[in-house]
Amino acid sequence: MTAAREPLLRDRLGIEVVSASPDRVTARMPVWGNRQPAGLLAGGASCMLAESTASLAASLHAAELGGTAVGLDLNATHHRAVRDGQVTAVATALRRGRRVATYEVVITDEAGERVCTARVTCLIASGAEGAPNGRP
């Protein structure tokens, strides 16, 4: 008997990666199923979309260096409400270093209006248990 693969949170939110490289990741997410009780896109869902896109880009960068990426910091500003349709996130590298990678993530609605701006910083880890230089 084989163990079932645990679904990733991004799968549960319906996040679909459109394109991916270490410098830029684009992904989409439906508003339906990701709303708060007031009927608006939940801020936490926007944050998860931002972190998912930036973390994927950072992971691709880290793989080029023989490591992995883990999140260090996420901050987000929510500019406008969205009630339906889908939103698109574009994560663009601000800095891709040997130890830290930082991305700006712009989330827009179907009309191209900015919904959220986020900055995500990831640690580029290698060695034992993903710790930098093998240190826990």
Side-chain angles (χ1 to χ4, degrees):
M1 176 166 61
T2 59
R5 180 182 154 276
E6 179 181 1
L8 299 174
L9 182 54
R10 71 174 182 226
D11 297 332
R12 292 179 185 190
L13 296 177
I15 296 171
E16 172 193 355
V17 176
V18 175
S19 63
S21 75
D23 286 317
R24 183 180 170 104
V25 169
T26 302
R28 290 188 291 251
M29 181 181 71
V31 174
W32 188 87
N34 293 313
R35 293 184 187 129
Q36 57 177 258
L40 307 174
L41 176 64
S46 293
C47 289
M48 183 58 197
L49 177 59
E51 187 165 355
S52 292
T53 55
S55 292
L56 175 55
S59 293
L60 294 170
H61 168 59
E64 292 177 340
L65 302 173
T68 59
V70 294
L72 282 180
D73 181 63
L74 163 68
N75 71 67
T77 300
H78 304 287
H79 305 293
R80 63 186 304 126
V82 180
R83 292 187 179 277
D84 53 27
Q86 65 180 357
V87 290
T88 300
V90 178
T92 305
L94 297 175
R95 182 174 193 288
R96 293 192 317 143
R98 289 184 307 112
R99 291 193 171 255
V100 173
T102 301
Y103 293 82
E104 177 185 54
V105 184
V106 174
I107 300 174
T108 56
D109 62 16
E110 289 179 331
E113 296 288 333
R114 190 178 291 226
V115 172
C116 177
T117 303
R119 190 187 70 236
V120 180
T121 301
C122 293
L123 173 70
I124 306 304
S126 62
E129 299 181 37
N133 297 323
R135 290 182 293 223

